[in-house]
Structure formats: C-alpha cells, structure tokens
Amino acid sequence: MGLSICHSIIDKHKGHISASSQLGAGTILTLYLPAEPDKITKEGAMQTDLSNSDSNARILVMDDEEQIRTVTQKMLEKFGYVVTLSADGQSAVEEYRKALDQNRAYNLVIMDLTVPGGMGGKEASQLILDMDPSACIVVSSGYSEDPIMAEYKSYGLKGIIAKPYRLATLKKTIHSLIS
C-alpha cells in the first residue's frame, strides 16, 4: 500500500505514523494503533462467531492488491463462502458475465473503487448492473471521503465496506445482504 493509503487508514483508526530516516541506513516507519481491550478475550483472540447460515454463497472479490485479495479470500472462506478473485474491473466483469451465462450468478460482489491504470469498481459495477440489475454489489475503499462511499445507493450499489476490513464487520455486512 502507498503511504497515503496507510496514513488515511491509520488516521481513521485514531492512530499515528512516524518516520525516521538516516542517509545510507534506510527509513523506519512506526505505526501506532489503539487497542480495543473490551473486544479481546483472556487468550488475546478476537471474539468473532465464525458460524454462518449462508455458507456456500458465491462471492466475487475485485481488488488490485494481491495481498488484500488473498487476506479477504481467507477471511471469507472462514465463513464458508466460495470465493473467486479478480485483479481489476475488466476481469471482474468478464468473470461475472461467465458465471451469469452458466446460471451461477454470484450472490455478492466486493469491488475496490480505485485501480491505478485499470478499470475500478465504479465503472465495473455499472457494467455488471447493466447485464444483471439484481446484482448485489458492495464497494470497498480505504478512502472514506470518496463520494461513492457516501452515496453508494444512488449508484445502484447495496453497501460499502471500508478498508481495512474487520472480520466481524465484513461478516455482518455480507450476511445482512445475502441472507
């Protein structure tokens, strides 16, 4: 992730980032994020119910960052969802079209809004909605000030998920849309 995205995410979570640099020695970035002790068990693990009544639902995830796609896939598979990944809007549209042609439309699509040098979630979502007006599309971004995040319904979208994803929020958002 770029430093501007990191800064935005850290600010959103009321954290702080500092940098120190020495010529020839490199740069050290230190991230400070507040803990949420009321959400931590004695063993230190997050309390999240992984049971799922809508398991086996099919979800298409489009994000240009491989690491985010991989982590999101692992999170969703913990809930029992069947996940397909796409790196840009064009391949997501093609994947959705292929699934629709096979009568296996996705139950939900998660679209990253910003894809540098490629088709992002706004344009790809409209193309998917043109071919399937009943498509359940959620947009995702690390930039909470993006107008689409505030007015997603006016674009025909069903929801938003801010980055970074929180396991419980991701589950709750998806479950509310596909159950």
Side-chain angles (χ1 to χ4, degrees):
M1 290 193 289
L3 282 178
S4 62
I5 293 173
C6 288
H7 185 266
S8 174
I9 292 168
I10 290 167
D11 272 356
K12 182 179 174 186
H13 292 281
K14 296 179 176 69
H16 174 74
I17 184 171
S18 68
S20 63
S21 185
Q22 284 188 323
L23 189 59
T27 302
I28 296 173
L29 297 174
T30 306
L31 309 176
Y32 300 92
L33 295 169
E36 293 184 272
D38 57 326
K39 294 185 179 182
I40 306 292
T41 65
K42 289 180 185 175
E43 295 79 33
M46 290 284 294
Q47 291 184 13
T48 302
D49 178 16
L50 297 179
S51 62
N52 197 29
S53 61
D54 43 52
S55 62
N56 297 321
R58 299 180 68 240
I59 298 177
L60 175 61
V61 175
M62 186 280 285
D63 198 292
D64 63 311
E65 295 187 45
E66 183 178 4
Q67 187 176 23
I68 292 176
R69 286 193 310 268
T70 302
V71 169
T72 305
Q73 179 179 25
K74 288 179 180 178
M75 292 168 80
L76 294 173
E77 286 176 345
K78 270 189 184 288
F79 301 136
Y81 298 122
V82 177
V83 181
T84 302
L85 302 176
S86 178
D88 61 46
Q90 185 62 43
S91 62
V93 170
E94 291 169 12
E95 179 61 40
Y96 196 92
R97 180 177 288 120
K98 184 173 80 174
L100 202 57
D101 289 346
Q102 297 171 354
N103 278 339
R104 295 178 31 132
Y106 287 93
N107 300 92
L108 184 99
V109 180
I110 299 174
M111 289 279 191
D112 181 18
L113 281 177
T114 308
V115 176
M119 182 190 298
K122 179 181 176 184
E123 185 180 353
S125 294
Q126 285 310 129
L127 292 172
I128 289 173
L129 288 167
D130 288 346
M131 74 174 105
D132 180 9
S134 67
C136 184
I137 303 174
V138 173
V139 290
S140 172
S141 180
Y143 301 104
S144 58
E145 56 279 339
D146 190 306
I148 296 173
M149 295 292 277
E151 301 172 24
Y152 66 92
K153 288 182 181 178
S154 67
Y155 293 90
L157 306 169
K158 304 294 188 215
I160 59 172
I161 302 175
K163 293 180 190 176
Y165 303 139
R166 301 186 90 146
L167 197 59
T169 304
L170 185 65
K171 181 181 192 285
K172 181 180 176 183
T173 301
I174 292 171
H175 181 74
S176 71
L177 291 170
I178 62 176
S179 60

